[in-house]
Amino acid sequence: MKKIGVLTSGGDSPGMNAAVRAVVRKAIYHDMEVYGVYQGYQGLMEGEFKPLKLGDVGDIIQRGGTMLHSARCVEFKEHESQLQAIERMRAQGIEGLVVIGGDGSYRGALSLSEKGFPAIGVPGTIDNDIRGTDYTIGFDTALNTVIESIDKIRDTATSHDRTFIIEVMGRDAGDIALWAGLAGGAETILVPEVTTNIDTMIERLQRGKERGKRHSIIVVAEGVMSGQELQKLLLEKGIDTRVSVLGHIQRGGSPTARDRVLASMMGAHAVELLMKDIGGRAVGIRNQAVVDYELREVFETEHHLDEDMFKLSKELSI
Ligand code: ADP
Ligand code: F6P
């Protein structure tokens, strides 16, 4: 391949820019041309392409968000829209596409590949919920943002002997809640993958109080229930709490070194595959090594929470 495209799609994540930079620089290094596709699949359908040169991706490695912008485009799930996108790319001479996004974006990449247009998935999402890779780009930065917030909330929780509920992102995946809860020393962590028994949770909080704990932190993933809903349930049982919803603050900010390195390695690997005319693959990292595997494997199994880590979080927060 001599001409490829790159887009970012779905919820943005810190490090997407570093991945775009890696794709562009690696491709140019190997004498390929790169087109940036703006606004994710929306721009792919509408032909929003712009050639990217070395300088176009300068000064972005440290920036959150995505210079290519992102979109959620329901229309792209349609067969006709995907064919239109392929036509647009072929008209421009683009022979392969790097899709940086979450599992929804991967479904789009798989559909393109199944229709004969080579696409490669690079995992860009703060959720860390893509099967086949140990980490996704943006997860580490989001975690650090959450931990910074937990630490600050803990200061005021300690001063006022209060119980705080901190709601974090994760509709279907509890990785942010679990990792941040463990790293932030939360007393209770609620994740979508594990059924929550409110009474057991209250008993734990009360046992802690009897032992002299004067404040508590509860981290709840948005997919379990909202912070406010949990606050209401606890109030019904006589427990007064304060709630902080971290929201989209988790999606922004300068990527951590780890996310930048991950993005650089994965973006470059995606180009290596396209250089060999290989499509339909997902790029990941396993045991510190960059790997690639069939895109369809992402959808063959469920995302699993690290059960040992969940157990450990309970053991350490008795
Ligand atoms: P993420 O990629 O972060 O999981 P979404 O689930 O919103 O975010 O997916 C991003 C985009 O990927 C969607 O807006 C849509 O354009 C595309 N997409 C999602 N599901 C499919 C699908 N089944 N087929 C084709 N494209 C899809
Ligand atoms: O997939 C990333 C994510 O941030 C999820 O954690 C969250 O549930 C969702 O996107 C929020 O989406 P939006 O920005 O469209 O409200």
Side-chain angles (χ1 to χ4, degrees):
M1 279 182 207
K2 279 289 168 204
K3 217 183 251 190
I4 63 170
V6 56
L7 63 78
T8 50
S9 162
D12 64 349
S13 71
M16 276 185 162
N17 275 330
V20 171
R21 172 183 178 272
V23 169
V24 172
R25 297 252 165 117
K26 176 84 179 180
I28 294 177
Y29 184 85
H30 290 281
D31 297 322
M32 296 163 92
E33 274 181 70
V34 189
Y35 280 81
V37 179
Y38 287 76
Q39 316 285 356
Y41 290 123
Q42 188 71 43
L44 196 69
M45 282 159 39
E46 289 162 9
E48 276 192 54
F49 309 145
K50 188 185 144 216
L52 295 176
K53 305 288 175 222
L54 290 176
D56 294 322
V57 291
D59 198 28
I60 64 164
I61 194 166
Q62 78 283 19
R63 295 189 199 283
T66 159
M67 66 165 275
L68 293 178
H69 298 252
S70 191
R72 301 206 196 258
C73 168
V74 182
E75 222 185 316
F76 193 72
K77 294 183 184 175
E78 309 289 325
H79 179 76
E80 291 308 319
S81 306
Q82 294 160 10
L83 290 177
Q84 183 185 323
I86 292 175
E87 241 173 66
R88 293 270 195 191
M89 286 189 281
R90 292 211 169 118
Q92 191 73 50
I94 298 172
E95 301 157 285
L97 180 71
V98 179
V99 172
I100 305 165
D103 61 353
S105 306
Y106 270 42
R107 283 194 188 275
L110 178 62
S111 302
L112 292 173
S113 297
E114 285 174 344
K115 289 185 168 60
F117 193 91
I120 304 289
V122 171
T125 166
I126 63 164
D127 294 342
N128 206 40
D129 62 346
I130 295 192
R131 270 69 79 210
T133 183
D134 293 344
Y135 299 106
T136 59
I137 299 163
F139 176 59
D140 188 60
T141 308
L143 267 185
N144 281 289
T145 302
V146 175
I147 288 160
E148 208 186 310
S149 306
I150 293 180
D151 290 349
K152 286 181 177 162
I153 287 168
R154 187 180 284 285
D155 287 345
T156 174
T158 321
S159 310
H160 289 266
D161 298 341
R162 272 176 175 157
T163 299
F164 264 85
I165 297 168
I166 303 176
E167 182 196 310
V168 299
M169 280 187 166
R171 272 184 298 221
D172 307 307
D175 287 46
I176 295 178
L178 175 56
W179 281 67
L182 181 59
E187 275 65 28
T188 303
I189 301 169
L190 307 184
V191 292
E193 295 89 342
V194 181
T195 312
T196 305
N197 182 322
I198 297 292
D199 291 330
T200 315
M201 189 187 109
I202 291 171
E203 275 165 32
R204 270 170 70 84
L205 286 174
Q206 270 157 355
R207 271 204 309 275
K209 211 168 185 185
E210 280 156 22
R211 278 201 338 271
K213 265 195 189 189
R214 300 169 64 117
H215 70 271
S216 292
I217 304 279
I218 301 168
V219 175
V220 58
E222 62 180 341
V224 177
M225 68 180 92
S226 72
Q228 278 85 2
E229 279 167 332
L230 183 57
Q231 182 179 43
K232 206 164 154 252
L233 284 179
L234 290 178
L235 194 58
E236 280 164 14
K237 307 272 180 177
I239 300 174
D240 185 33
T241 58
R242 293 290 185 276
V243 184
S244 275
V245 180
L246 300 188
H248 286 78
I249 199 169
Q250 295 161 90
R251 286 241 295 265
S254 177
T256 58
R258 182 174 280 268
D259 274 331
R260 296 181 202 189
V261 170
L262 196 59
S264 302
M265 287 163 59
M266 288 183 174
H269 191 79
V271 174
E272 275 169 22
L273 292 171
L274 290 179
M275 266 164 56
K276 294 183 215 151
D277 292 331
I278 297 171
R281 310 279 294 172
V283 178
I285 188 137
R286 290 183 205 156
N287 302 322
Q288 311 294 335
V290 179
V291 294
D292 58 84
Y293 50 101
E294 289 290 319
L295 262 175
R296 72 171 64 83
E297 282 176 37
V298 172
F299 308 105
E300 283 169 358
T301 53
E302 294 277 298
H303 167 72
H304 284 296
L305 192 79
D306 185 332
E307 282 169 22
D308 289 340
M309 191 184 283
F310 190 67
K311 196 164 151 261
L312 177 67
S313 76
K314 284 200 174 303
E315 288 170 357
L316 300 188
S317 62
I318 43 168

